Amino acid sequence: MAVADRYLAPGWFTRAVFNPAVAFLTRHGVSILGSRVLAVRGRTSGAWRTTPVNLLEYDGRRYLVSPRGHGQWVRNLRAAGTGELRVGKRVEVFRSRELTDDEKVPVLRAYLTRWRVEAGAFFDGVRPDAGDERFRAIAPNHPAFEVLSST
């Protein structure tokens, strides 16, 4: 598998307990550290696909980062270019812009700083205080999108 195609599938606990619990709370209006339910149209089926994500607010902008790599939501968002972020009954329609690897460096550092306990294991041993070159080296493994207004 090429580096750019890397994806680390969630284990049983994450799939069966953690993600459903976070999604349930978020769907009912309780955002945990910025959690949202991301809804994106499937690139083949056109059906809505949902997954819990962490919305990072950094330097006056908002980002979605995939700590596990190039999963289905990433592929769907690339194809659709737009989606919805949901918390309870609030739905925000957005468009996205994928970041270049160089643009990802400060965003990945901020993401790792905020969610190190939850997502640190997926960053190849890189810590928030690592140098830019370490983040640049892992950037291809972690797609990141800027969340933009839909208008």
Side-chain angles (χ1 to χ4, degrees), residues 15-29:
R15 255 189 351 267
V17 178
F18 186 76
N19 279 354
V22 170
F24 175 84
L25 290 170
T26 304
R27 278 193 308 271
H28 287 84

Side-chain angles (χ1 to χ4, degrees), residues 76-135:
N76 288 336
L77 188 55
R78 278 182 182 139
T82 186
E84 296 178 354
L85 291 171
R86 303 171 180 172
V87 177
K89 293 181 180 186
R90 289 176 296 167
V91 176
E92 176 190 358
V93 177
F94 72 94
R95 58 188 175 85
S96 66
R97 180 185 70 84
E98 190 163 7
L99 303 182
T100 66
D101 287 345
D102 284 337
E103 289 177 301
K104 289 179 198 175
V105 171
V107 172
L108 293 177
R109 179 178 285 114
Y111 187 93
L112 187 55
T113 298
R114 172 97 188 208
W115 289 288
R116 183 173 176 198
V117 171
E118 178 184 335
F122 309 118
F123 284 84
D124 301 320
V126 174
R127 299 170 45 96
D129 59 356
D132 288 356
E133 67 282 348
R134 292 287 312 258
F135 278 99

Side-chain angles (χ1 to χ4, degrees), residues 33-81:
L33 295 174
S35 66
R36 301 288 190 275
V37 172
L38 170 66
V40 180
R41 295 261 184 200
R43 62 194 179 281
T44 303
S45 70
W48 284 104
R49 304 293 182 198
T50 61
T51 191
V53 294
N54 293 321
L55 180 64
L56 174 67
E57 296 187 24
Y58 171 73
D59 202 23
R61 297 181 180 188
R62 299 177 316 142
Y63 301 94
L64 295 175
V65 174
S66 179
R68 293 179 175 276
H70 298 260
Q72 297 303 319
W73 76 259
V74 169
R75 292 179 178 108
N76 288 336
L77 188 55
R78 278 182 182 139

